[in-house]
């Protein structure tokens, strides 16, 4: 792993010294640091990884929720920290209560940039089943009448009309993109509370366009962040998300663009 | 003039009506000023006992009038004679009122017994306060209500006292709803209150506890915030106190206690959700509890309940220094969450606030602990983020049931470890 170049020239001692120094220098580039599964770093990496997965998979019927962090290590490089993490997940749809595992390599660069993620997860449903479920949801949304502007999902009593559930699940794709971008190694972590002001269109090419307002709970500061999202989706075709957030305390605006693959 | 004569001719005997049976509401459309004037003449006839909901004004505005049963024929004849258009808006006012009344009774659970109170739904402040009064009325030998103060907006701060006698017995304090948006906590508090009355005399452990100790339960610790979550903003967390010099409202009641007040772990920005306030106990909701605890002087366990995250936490939040009896607190927490999980498998993590959730200064149980209450705990109830604050109502009872097992573990321990 550590390549050793043999410098030409001076005697054996000098050679040894230089070799030792070179080895020392290489070692400081890459330090492995085991991390506690119950600790915050692994948990944060798992969250970032799962948000990324959910957005890229763009499959509303198989959105996954973090269950337990299993193990992981930090690989400290010059450019930042890479975290290798394995975690268990369960399906968002509780009726199915399927379980799975994921393993990911998450690259945190600095507190501003979104983390890079390489992830693979066990499938929740087989390909055919998942396609069927996503198309079912797609049809439901196409046929659904857009709810009134003031409708919130869930309602203030935590109630969710079963007919509105597909909208909630589809919004998870856009929400995941936003949360992935915001979850850095030093940042807070986020949970979706409510969506409202929903507008829905069908494009001529049969893509669904969902435009809505999201109330996001930022856990460390306990703030509620209001964002507007614009999601363009079709089962098994690349999806696209745009968002614009008003951070309540800081008055900061954030926005992002994505290309989801739908092919995970 | 002729019309009026006809009207007088068909006058029925006037008698006082107790209800509105047979009363009709007519909507009159006067075509021109002359017709408006005719209708005005009706207004002057007291014996008709007409009740104008929208009085005669101009031809473009409809005239709505409630007509008692005894005047219906007369009025209609008058209108028809004068070729004034009208239609019947309400056929029978009493019938309408009866229907409305029935609906209200059905919807608004103005219950008459805590046995038919709905524990599986979320309630308004009024409903919870009514529930408290009912519970006291049904269990006068066990439950009483104490008002420990008034909120910023003047609402009573009510605490239920569960006691089987004695004089200033060692006590356990439980509060829910200090952060108003954490609705599963107030709902659980209601369930705990009922549970105590059901189990005293039947459950060995609880009976032993209440035979030696008192339990104080403040269900709606932040009533102004709670009312605001119902009326305006479901995700409101803080109190609703006006902050001089700021357009933002409210202080985080869990950063306002006198324990490392203002240190890292709270915000000095009034617009922030973790704003600590101008000085410790600036919030009357907090001060009332502080005053109560100090004057009682014999509280042995203090449990403050929040949501969400599924955690059981002990001091400290403001420092990483371990609490003096950290090991004991840790072992008790472990036992409590084990019992909690035994019911539905719900997993809780436990530890000190700062190591388990985040740094927080001026928090409740740091103050209660530093004031000498050895067993000070904070719960974060269901869930872990799937629904967060907007937990579906169907999870209220399971949450309350499992949490109760943890509370019983702590209370039983406090009973068996007097100090």
């Amino acid at each position: 792993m550590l390549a050793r170049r043999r410098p030409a020239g001076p005697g054996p001692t000098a050679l040894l010294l230089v070799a030792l120094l070179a080895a020392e220098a290489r070692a400081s580039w890459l330090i492995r640091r085991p991390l506690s599964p119950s600790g915050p770093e692994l948990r944060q990496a798992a969250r970032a990884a799962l948000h990324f997965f959910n957005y890229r998979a763009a499959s509303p019927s198989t959105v996954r929720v973090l269950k337990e962090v299993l193990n992981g290590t930090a690989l400290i490089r010059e450019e930042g920290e890479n975290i290798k993490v394995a975690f268990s997940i369960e399906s968002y749809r509780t009726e199915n209560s399927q379980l799975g595992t994921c393993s990911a390599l998450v690259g945190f660069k600095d507190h501003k940039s979104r983390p890079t993620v390489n992830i693979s997860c066990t499938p929740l449903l087989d390909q055919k089943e998942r396609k069927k479920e996503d198309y079912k949801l797609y049809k439901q949304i196409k046929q659904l009448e857009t709810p009134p502007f003031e409708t919130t999902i869930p309602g203030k009593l935590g109630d969710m009309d079963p007919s509105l559930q597909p909208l909630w699940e589809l919004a998870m794709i856009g929400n995941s993109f936003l949360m992935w971008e915001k979850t850095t190694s030093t940042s807070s972590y986020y949970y979706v509370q409510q969506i409202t002001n929903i507008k829905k269109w069908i494009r001529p090419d049969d893509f669904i366009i969902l435009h809505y307002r999201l109330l996001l709970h930022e856990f460390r500061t306990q703030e509620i962040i209001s964002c507007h999202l614009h999601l363009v989706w079709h089962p098994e075709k690349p999806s696209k998300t745009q968002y614009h957030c008003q951070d309540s305390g800081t008055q900061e605006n954030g926005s992002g663009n994505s290309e989801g693959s739908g092919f995970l | 003039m002729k019309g009026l004569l006809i009207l007088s001719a068909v006058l029925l005997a006037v008698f006082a009506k107790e209800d509105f049976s047979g009363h009709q509401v007519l909507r009159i459309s006067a075509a021109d000023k002359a017709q408006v004037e005719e209708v005005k003449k009706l207004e002057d006839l007291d014996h008709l006992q007409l009740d104008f909901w929208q009085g005669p004004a101009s031809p473009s505005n409809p005239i709505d009038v409630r007509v008692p049963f005894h005047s219906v024929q007369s009025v209609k004849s008058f209108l028809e004679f004068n070729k004034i258009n009208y239609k019947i808006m309400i056929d029978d006012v009493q019938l309408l009122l009866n229907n409305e009344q029935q609906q209200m009774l059905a919807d608004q659970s103005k219950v008459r017994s805590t046995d038919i109170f709905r524990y599986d739904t979320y309630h308004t402040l009024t409903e919870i306060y009514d529930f408290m009064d009912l519970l006291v009325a049904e269990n006068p030998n066990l439950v009483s209500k104490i008002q420990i103060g008034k909120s910023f907006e003047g609402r009573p701060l009510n605490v239920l006292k569960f006691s089987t006698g004695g004089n200033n017995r060692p006590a356990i304090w439980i509060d829910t709803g200090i952060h108003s948006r954490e609705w599963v906590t107030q709902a659980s508090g209601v369930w705990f209150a009922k549970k105590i009355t059901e189990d005293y005399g039947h459950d060995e452990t609880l009976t032993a506890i209440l035979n030696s100790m008192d339990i104080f339960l403040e269900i709606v610790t932040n009533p102004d915030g709670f009312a605001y979550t119902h009326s305006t903003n479901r995700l409101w967390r803080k109190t609703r106190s006006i902050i001089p010099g700021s357009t933002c409202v409210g202080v985080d009641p869990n950063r306002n206690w006198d324990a490392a007040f203002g240190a890292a772990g709270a915000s000095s920005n009034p617009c922030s959700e973790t704003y600590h306030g101008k000085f410790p106990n600036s919030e009357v909701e907090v001060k009332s509890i502080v005053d109560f605890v100090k004057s009682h002087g014999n509280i042995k366990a203090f449990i403050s309940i929040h949501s969400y995250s599924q955690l059981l936490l002990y001091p400290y939040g403001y420092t990483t220094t371990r609490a003096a009896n950290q090991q004991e607190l840790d072992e008790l927490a472990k036992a409590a969450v084990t019992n909690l999980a035994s019911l539905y498998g719900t997993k809780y993590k436990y530890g000190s606030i700062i190591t388990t959730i985040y740094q927080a200064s001026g928090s409740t149980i740091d103050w209660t602990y530093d004031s000498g209450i050895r067993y000070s705990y904070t719960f974060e109830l269901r869930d872990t983020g799937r629904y967060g604050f907007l937990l579906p109502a169907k999870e209220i009872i399971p949450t309350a049931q499992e949490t109760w097992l943890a509370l019983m573990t702590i209370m039983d321990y406090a009973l068996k470890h007097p100090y």
Side-chain angles (χ1 to χ4, degrees):
Chain A
M1 214 170 45
L2 295 174
R4 297 239 225 106
R5 274 179 266 130
R6 281 177 177 211
T13 326
L15 203 74
L16 188 63
L17 192 65
V18 171
L20 279 172
L21 283 170
E24 181 91 70
R26 290 297 156 101
S28 69
W29 282 11
L30 177 75
I31 300 170
R32 293 183 83 88
R33 183 164 66 94
L35 292 170
S36 159
S38 57
E41 296 109 314
L42 279 187
R43 221 172 158 81
Q44 192 72 344
R47 288 181 188 117
L50 194 55
H51 289 321
F52 176 83
F53 182 89
N54 282 329
Y55 129 69
R56 287 283 286 177
S59 164
S61 64
T62 56
V63 170
R64 288 146 165 88
V65 165
L66 177 63
K67 201 166 149 70
E68 269 318 310
V69 173
L70 301 170
N71 57 62
T73 39
L75 305 158
I76 303 164
R77 312 191 97 95
E78 224 176 286
E79 323 85 68
E81 203 170 57
N82 278 10
I83 299 198
K84 196 166 178 325
V85 61
F87 52 93
S88 64
I89 52 94
E90 56 188 355
S91 56
Y92 185 88
R93 289 185 171 177
T94 46
E95 321 81 72
N96 309 343
S97 58
Q98 288 134 335
L99 303 173
T101 51
C102 300
S103 71
L105 189 63
V106 182
F108 288 118
K109 220 157 88 170
D110 56 50
H111 68 278
K112 284 209 189 98
S113 338
R114 62 199 199 189
T116 57
V117 177
N118 255 306
I119 182 171
S120 66
C121 294
T122 55
L124 281 183
L125 297 174
D126 70 49
Q127 181 101 312
K128 210 166 127 192
E129 191 62 35
R130 181 175 62 74
K131 193 169 154 183
K132 186 171 133 208
E133 286 298 315
D134 279 342
Y135 267 98
K136 187 167 153 194
L137 184 136
Y138 173 70
K139 269 188 234 138
Q140 285 170 327
I141 295 181
K142 274 180 105 177
Q143 288 162 0
L144 185 64
E145 210 180 284
T146 303
F149 196 68
E150 334 73 55
T151 301
T152 64
I153 311 177
K156 79 176 187 198
L157 303 178
D159 50 297
M160 195 179 302
D161 193 323
S163 70
L164 298 179
Q165 176 126 356
L167 290 175
W168 175 254
E169 290 179 338
L170 178 58
M172 271 308 179
I173 309 304
N175 302 341
S176 298
F177 172 69
L178 188 160
M179 291 190 286
W180 164 57
E181 291 223 318
K182 285 172 124 25
T183 305
T184 69
S185 62
T186 53
S187 78
S188 185
Y189 45 100
Y190 304 89
Y191 297 105
V192 172
Q193 294 305 302
Q194 216 178 31
I195 64 174
T196 186
N197 305 154
I198 300 159
K199 288 189 222 161
K200 176 204 73 156
W201 304 271
I202 314 294
R203 234 164 49 175
D205 58 0
D206 262 350
F207 270 76
I208 291 177
I209 301 183
L210 199 68
H211 193 98
Y212 59 98
R213 183 172 167 235
L214 165 70
L215 293 177
L216 198 62
H217 178 218
E218 184 178 357
F219 207 89
R220 291 225 179 99
T221 60
Q222 291 294 321
E223 299 293 336
I224 304 292
I225 302 170
S226 172
C227 302
H228 284 98
L229 280 96
H230 188 92
L231 168 64
V232 178
W233 179 77
H234 186 285
E236 289 207 308
K237 284 202 186 139
S239 72
K240 199 172 147 97
T241 305
Q242 288 165 293
Y243 69 84
H244 183 90
C245 290
Q246 189 82 42
D247 278 324
S248 58
T250 62
Q251 304 249 297
E252 232 176 68
N253 283 330
S255 60
N257 274 288
S258 85
E259 278 279 334
S261 83
F263 284 119
L264 266 180
Chain B
M1 201 57 204
K2 214 176 182 183
L4 266 177
L5 287 171
I6 294 176
L7 191 59
S8 323
V10 297
L11 260 182
L12 297 172
V14 175
F15 52 94
K17 275 280 188 181
E18 283 165 290
D19 73 350
F20 297 101
S21 298
H23 292 217
Q24 292 195 340
V25 176
L26 306 180
R27 170 157 283 185
I28 301 167
S29 310
D32 52 37
K33 272 198 180 141
Q35 288 203 338
V36 174
E37 289 308 308
E38 288 300 319
V39 179
K40 276 191 178 161
K41 288 174 190 161
L42 276 182
E43 256 191 315
D44 294 335
L45 298 177
D46 289 337
H47 61 263
L48 292 177
Q49 294 189 309
L50 299 181
D51 175 17
F52 280 88
W53 291 2
Q54 280 207 102
S58 81
S60 51
N61 297 342
I63 303 159
D64 294 339
V65 56
R66 177 178 61 80
V67 184
F69 179 65
H70 63 86
S71 307
V72 167
Q73 271 317 115
S74 324
V75 172
K76 283 182 176 171
S77 304
F78 175 83
L79 292 172
E80 279 156 27
F81 179 84
N82 284 289
K83 295 195 173 57
I84 302 174
N85 281 329
Y86 71 93
K87 70 172 190 224
I88 302 168
M89 279 215 317
I90 300 172
D91 213 29
D92 187 323
V93 175
Q94 190 57 41
L95 267 182
L96 188 72
L97 289 176
N98 289 346
N99 282 340
E100 229 173 46
Q101 179 83 315
Q102 259 175 26
Q103 258 214 355
M104 262 171 49
L105 282 176
D107 295 344
Q108 201 195 58
S109 51
K110 173 85 180 172
V111 229
R112 289 202 186 80
S113 151
T114 63
D115 282 334
I116 58 172
F117 186 88
R118 294 279 302 271
Y119 296 93
D120 60 347
T121 63
Y122 292 108
H123 290 278
T124 63
L125 184 63
T126 309
E127 287 165 0
I128 295 177
Y129 277 8
D130 287 345
F131 161 84
M132 290 168 72
D133 290 337
L134 272 179
L135 196 72
V136 169
E138 290 167 8
N139 303 275
N141 296 325
L142 181 62
V143 196
S144 57
K145 185 176 83 171
I146 304 170
Q147 187 177 323
I148 61 169
K150 273 197 182 158
S151 71
F152 182 83
E153 289 176 347
R155 295 181 173 87
L157 298 168
N158 291 328
V159 174
L160 289 179
K161 177 183 181 183
F162 299 86
S163 178
T164 60
N167 183 28
N168 195 235
R169 281 180 174 172
I172 296 148
W173 168 282
I174 302 169
D175 64 72
T176 53
I178 192 168
H179 285 145
S180 38
R181 61 190 179 196
E182 298 165 8
W183 276 20
V184 72
T185 70
Q186 297 96 334
S188 295
V190 167
W191 189 92
F192 299 152
K194 177 65 172 168
K195 179 72 170 163
I196 295 171
T197 63
E198 283 177 341
D199 278 8
Y200 179 71
H202 300 102
D203 177 87
E204 211 179 298
T205 317
L206 181 74
T207 306
I209 292 168
L210 278 172
N211 283 342
S212 306
M213 301 177 83
D214 293 341
I215 300 174
F216 293 100
L217 174 61
E218 187 174 12
I219 299 175
V220 190
T221 306
N222 177 6
D224 294 349
F226 189 57
Y228 198 71
T229 57
H230 273 277
S231 67
T232 312
N233 179 353
R234 174 64 182 79
L235 294 172
W236 187 260
R237 165 187 167 91
K238 305 188 285 181
T239 62
R240 291 291 303 164
S241 59
I242 292 171
I243 303 162
S246 175
T247 49
C248 289
V249 174
V251 168
D252 184 347
N254 199 23
R255 300 289 186 280
N256 188 241
W257 301 72
D258 197 1
F261 176 86
S267 173
S268 55
N269 176 0
C271 300
S272 163
E273 296 281 25
T274 54
Y275 173 55
H276 49 58
K278 288 202 192 277
F279 52 86
N281 304 330
S282 63
E283 302 312 284
V284 63
E285 293 82 357
V286 170
K287 182 149 203 318
S288 303
I289 302 176
V290 170
D291 290 346
F292 178 83
V293 167
K294 280 183 171 166
S295 69
H296 185 281
N298 210 14
I299 301 203
K300 299 301 178 187
F302 192 105
I303 302 157
S304 191
I305 301 184
H306 292 252
S307 77
Y308 56 94
S309 276
Q310 292 173 203
L311 304 170
L312 177 49
L313 307 167
Y314 49 78
Y316 289 103
Y318 70 84
T319 175
T320 50
T321 304
R322 292 158 74 99
N325 65 332
Q326 157 129 335
Q327 187 166 344
E328 183 187 24
L329 290 174
D330 196 77
E331 284 168 6
L332 178 54
K334 183 175 183 189
V337 310
T338 304
N339 287 340
L340 188 153
S342 69
L343 198 55
Y344 297 111
T346 306
K347 288 208 172 94
Y348 267 60
K349 293 189 161 71
Y350 60 95
S352 70
I353 297 170
I354 197 169
T355 59
T356 314
I357 190 169
Y358 42 50
Q359 183 172 26
S361 64
S363 69
T364 310
I365 64 165
D366 283 359
W367 179 80
T368 60
Y369 184 76
D370 281 346
S371 302
I373 303 176
R374 219 171 139 79
Y375 307 118
S376 290
Y377 284 98
T378 284
F379 277 81
E380 294 276 355
L381 303 187
R382 288 196 194 181
D383 58 15
T384 54
R386 191 190 293 261
Y387 293 108
F389 300 121
L390 275 62
L391 195 70
K394 67 179 196 284
E395 294 206 41
I396 296 173
I397 294 182
T399 302
Q401 288 173 325
E402 65 191 12
T403 308
W404 185 246
L405 298 182
L407 289 175
M408 284 291 286
T409 310
I410 297 169
M411 296 197 290
D412 185 45
Y413 188 88
L415 172 72
K416 294 181 168 132
H417 296 82
Y419 60 91

